[in-house]
């Protein structure tokens, strides 16, 4: 059905269930389908050329417009909070206030740096960020078949939009909900707009007023792509889900987190830097025969 599922990076706890969901997604047809995806480390790569690829925040944090002193502070915050974010032994309740702390401190520091709206394109092009292999097929397929792509990100909206734009795949079927920068009349960053989105509040609570999922209420078939345990709630605001397939990228601390990921995601992709599995499933669902 989907040869990509035979890849060595793929782990599935209940193969028959997954086959059943994929069959149903195809039966329901393209007009019922929507894709909901995280951005950082899901659509973008975790590693590239033997190094870590930057997240949308880290593209800013490491850029030339940040003072050396602030760069050091932002790195210290990353080294303190990131292990907490991915710690399999802490509950989400424990992590939530700490993530609010992390994001707030980063946004505060960034807002003191006189970052200019006009600098973002160059900051992105110099950053070394990469989308996962196969991104063009993914974006092109969804656009061709008019399947809405909802990007739900705790990263920085202005930065991730620029990444997609520079990759020439920012099509009309894409909607983004993320943390957006607020600039003054001179185009200088003053603050971030609310509500604050962090790894563990990606649910309906930050979508109030967007009406996005209500407008797509007939799209009851969902493919969800994420890399964090916080991404599992991204579709909670969809009014009536009939079939949902959750695909999770397990990038880091693979052995420690495997059990939790297998229990939560239908398909787990271990150290897989490609979108091949998602593309294979979409090819099967979207094309005739
Ligand atoms: P998301 O991928 O769930 O949207 O979350 C964004 C990621 O960004 C999350 O894994 C933490 C990471 N991050 C940084 O790399 N640097 C930062 O300064 C902050 C606040 C978050
Ligand atoms: Mg992510």
């Amino acid at each position: 059905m989907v040869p990509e599922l035979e890849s060595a990076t793929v782990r599935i706890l209940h193969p028959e269930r997954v086959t059943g969901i994929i069959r149903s997604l195809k039966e329901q047809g393209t007009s019922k389908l929507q894709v909901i995806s995280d951005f950082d480390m899901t659509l973008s790569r975790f590693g590239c050329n033997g190094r870590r690829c930057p997240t949308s925040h880290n593209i800013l944090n490491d850029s030339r417009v940040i003072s050396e002193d602030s760069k050091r502070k932002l790195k210290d915050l990353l080294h303190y909070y990131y292990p907490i974010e991915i710690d399999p032994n802490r509950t989400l309740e424990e992590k939530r206030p700490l993530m609010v702390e992390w994001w707030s401190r980063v946004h505060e520091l960034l807002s003191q740096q006189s970052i200019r709206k006009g600098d973002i394109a160059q900051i992105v092009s110099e950053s070394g960020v990469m989308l996962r292999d196969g991104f063009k097929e993914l974006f092109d397929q969804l656009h061709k078949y008019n399947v809405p792509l909802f990007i739900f990100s705790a990263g920085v909206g202005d930065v991730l939009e620029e990444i997609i734009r520079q990759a020439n795949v920012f099509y009309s079927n894409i909607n983004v909900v993320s943390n957006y920068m607020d600039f003054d009349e001179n185009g200088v960053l003053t603050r971030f707009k609310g509500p604050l989105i962090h790894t563990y509040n990606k649910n309906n609570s930050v979508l109030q007023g967007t009406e996005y999922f209500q407008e797509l209420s007939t799209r009851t078939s969902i493919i969800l792509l994420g890399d964090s345990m916080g991404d599992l709630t991204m579709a909670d605001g969809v009014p009536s889900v009939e079939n949902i397939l959750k695909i999770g990228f397990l990038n880091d601390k693979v052995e420690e987190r495997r059990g939790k990921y297998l229990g939560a995601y239908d398909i787990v992709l271990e150290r897989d830097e490609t979108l091949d599995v998602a593309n294979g499933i979409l090819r099967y669902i979207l094309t005739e025969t």
Side-chain angles (χ1 to χ4, degrees):
M1 193 166 80
V2 179
E4 288 79 3
L5 289 172
E6 305 302 320
S7 156
T9 60
V10 176
R11 287 189 184 253
I12 300 174
L13 206 54
H14 304 292
E16 321 72 44
R17 213 180 86 85
V18 167
T19 311
I21 298 172
I22 296 174
R23 279 225 179 82
S24 307
L25 291 173
K26 188 175 174 72
E27 275 162 26
Q28 291 298 311
T30 305
S31 65
K32 290 272 183 77
L33 183 65
Q34 60 170 312
V35 175
I36 300 174
S37 180
D38 169 49
F39 183 79
D40 289 302
M41 315 291 107
T42 295
L43 292 176
S44 69
R45 288 178 62 128
F46 181 74
C48 20
N49 309 323
R51 305 185 53 192
R52 283 288 298 275
C53 242
T55 59
S56 53
H57 273 102
N58 292 348
I59 287 173
L60 287 174
N61 299 358
D62 297 338
S63 73
R64 59 179 168 77
V65 298
I66 310 292
S67 71
E68 288 308 314
D69 180 50
S70 299
K71 262 189 196 153
R72 217 168 21 244
K73 287 182 182 152
L74 289 159
K75 269 261 144 45
D76 289 347
L77 292 173
L78 179 70
H79 292 147
Y80 179 75
Y81 287 107
Y82 176 67
I84 298 174
E85 181 198 344
I86 63 165
D87 185 349
N89 300 313
R90 289 186 198 235
T91 64
L92 297 192
E93 290 67 35
E94 256 178 279
K95 291 182 186 188
R96 255 183 222 113
L98 296 165
M99 294 301 107
V100 172
E101 227 172 74
W102 182 15
W103 261 251
S104 306
R105 294 173 78 173
V106 168
H107 289 180
E108 179 71 32
L109 275 167
L110 289 174
S111 302
Q112 294 163 1
Q113 303 294 309
S114 310
I115 298 173
R116 309 183 69 85
K117 191 178 172 64
D119 288 337
I120 291 174
Q122 200 184 353
I123 291 172
V124 166
S125 68
E126 289 171 350
S127 69
V129 68
M130 286 169 83
L131 294 173
R132 282 190 195 272
D133 291 354
F135 77 87
K136 193 169 157 43
E137 180 180 350
L138 180 85
F139 284 81
D140 283 353
Q141 278 201 92
L142 296 177
H143 180 233
K144 179 176 171 192
Y145 291 94
N146 288 315
V147 175
L149 169 59
F150 183 66
I151 299 178
F152 197 167
S153 167
V156 181
D158 308 76
V159 173
L160 74 89
E161 283 196 10
E162 184 58 30
I163 297 168
I164 300 170
R165 206 172 292 122
Q166 291 186 10
N168 295 315
V169 288
F170 204 155
Y171 299 126
S172 52
N173 61 320
I174 298 177
N175 263 281
V176 182
V177 166
S178 184
N179 298 300
Y180 280 90
M181 299 163 123
D182 205 358
F183 300 96
D184 66 13
E185 64 283 3
N186 300 315
V188 177
L189 175 68
T190 53
R191 58 178 200 102
F192 281 77
K193 297 174 188 167
L196 179 85
I197 305 172
H198 58 77
T199 332
Y200 297 113
N201 70 348
K202 294 170 111 182
N203 53 49
N204 218 13
S205 70
V206 293
L207 297 178
Q208 306 301 330
T210 69
E211 309 298 322
Y212 177 78
F213 286 141
Q214 285 70 24
E215 283 158 25
L216 294 187
S217 58
T218 56
R219 303 260 177 186
T220 51
S221 302
I222 314 244
I223 296 178
L224 179 147
L225 302 170
D227 78 296
S228 143
M229 293 300 285
D231 294 328
L232 289 155
T233 54
M234 291 192 298
D236 283 8
V238 180
S240 51
V241 177
E242 275 174 29
N243 288 290
I244 179 162
L245 183 70
K246 296 181 178 173
I247 305 175
F249 289 91
L250 180 48
N251 300 312
D252 203 2
K253 295 263 181 300
V254 172
E255 281 70 30
E256 296 94 308
R257 299 199 292 166
R258 177 178 291 137
K260 281 223 158 88
Y261 273 64
L262 278 171
Y265 281 102
D266 301 304
I267 299 174
V268 175
L269 303 173
E270 292 188 0
R271 298 190 185 91
D272 185 335
E273 292 291 359
T274 77
L275 289 160
D276 293 351
V277 168
N279 281 332
I281 293 168
L282 281 169
R283 224 177 289 131
Y284 171 76
I285 294 173
L286 296 174
T287 53
E288 303 296 315
T289 69

